[in-house]
Amino acid sequence: MTQPSTDLFKDKAQDWDSRPVPAQISAGVGAALRARVALSPELRVMDFGAGTGLVCAHVAPHVATVHAVDISAAMLAQLAAKPELQGKVVVHCQDILARPLDQQVDLIISAMAMHHVEDTDRMLRAFAAHLAPGGKVALADLDTEPGTFHPPDAVGVFHAGFDRARLGQQLAAAGFTAIEFATATQVDKDDRRYDIFLVTATKA
Ligand SMILES: C[S@@+](CC[C@H](N)C(=O)[O-])C[C@H]1O[C@@H](n2cnc3c(N)ncnc32)[C@H](O)[C@@H]1O
């Protein structure tokens, strides 16, 4: 995919951190990440679709550096303004599917961004290309849902969650092994409960 000409999160960025749903999801995903992924002071991490840095904040204190990648300048502006992330997080406002970073990382994390990417096979291949040998992914998103999580007229939403078996096959096809799914958290929105998975996998 190419980078959209408009920033689809421009109107949401200002109050993103005070919204209950992102706050609840990022707390659950952050806890699941710390429980299931070994973080260490030498790790170079990429947060794909980092947004305002809600999940970065859980990981950054425990690793060497986090490359916060997003195509929304407005979301990244919120992240860059956070004093606790200064010096630890490098911001990249670019579509890494079209223009990769010029460096590799040891771990790629992502929360609630994959459903905004139309071509997930291409995205997973891009993740593999950005990982050093033995590198890992830890990716969180909605399990398959009835299409009610976003408003019906939402732009830039390409997947009503993900089927774990299908995503596992896609990860394997992109060159990943040791693929493990867990339920990271659940979130209540508009009288419905949604499951959020965390899948971890290693670049073969
Ligand atoms: C629902 S928000 C989640 C933000 C953050 N991860 C969190 O949990 O609060 C999705 C984010 O993915 C970003 N995004 C969408 N498509 C992307 C792409 N192709 N590359 C990088 N980021 C993308 C959006 O701009 C947005 O900031």
Side-chain angles (χ1 to χ4, degrees), residues 22-183:
Q24 197 184 332
I25 293 174
S26 59
V29 170
L33 267 169
R34 291 201 314 278
R36 301 188 65 84
V37 180
L39 301 178
S40 53
E42 72 283 358
L43 275 193
R44 301 160 298 171
V45 179
M46 178 203 294
D47 184 353
F48 177 79
T52 62
L54 287 177
V55 176
C56 273
H58 289 269
V59 172
H62 309 291
V63 301
T65 188
V66 180
H67 294 277
V69 169
D70 206 292
I71 54 173
S72 167
M75 294 289 267
L76 287 176
Q78 297 292 323
L79 183 156
K82 292 183 175 173
E84 67 274 22
L85 297 180
Q86 308 278 323
K88 222 21 169 340
V89 177
V90 184
V91 167
H92 304 265
C93 190
Q94 70 189 67
D95 179 359
I96 61 158
L97 278 64
R99 190 161 65 89
L101 298 187
D102 58 5
Q103 57 212 294
Q104 289 195 310
V105 296
D106 307 298
L107 171 67
I108 298 176
I109 63 172
S110 183
M112 299 296 283
M114 297 192 300
H115 62 254
H116 294 293
V117 178
E118 188 167 17
D119 188 345
T120 43
D121 288 314
R122 187 173 170 206
M123 177 195 72
L124 295 174
R125 286 196 299 273
F127 288 173
H130 279 88
L131 282 171
K136 295 182 191 305
V137 290
L139 312 172
D141 211 311
L142 292 158
D143 279 296
T144 304
E145 50 97 2
T148 49
F149 187 82
H150 297 91
D153 56 351
V155 178
V157 175
F158 296 102
H159 308 278
F162 293 90
D163 175 73
R164 295 186 186 196
R166 169 83 186 113
L167 183 58
Q169 290 167 353
Q170 290 179 274
L171 280 159
F176 288 93
T177 185
I179 300 160
E180 291 181 18
F181 282 85
T183 298

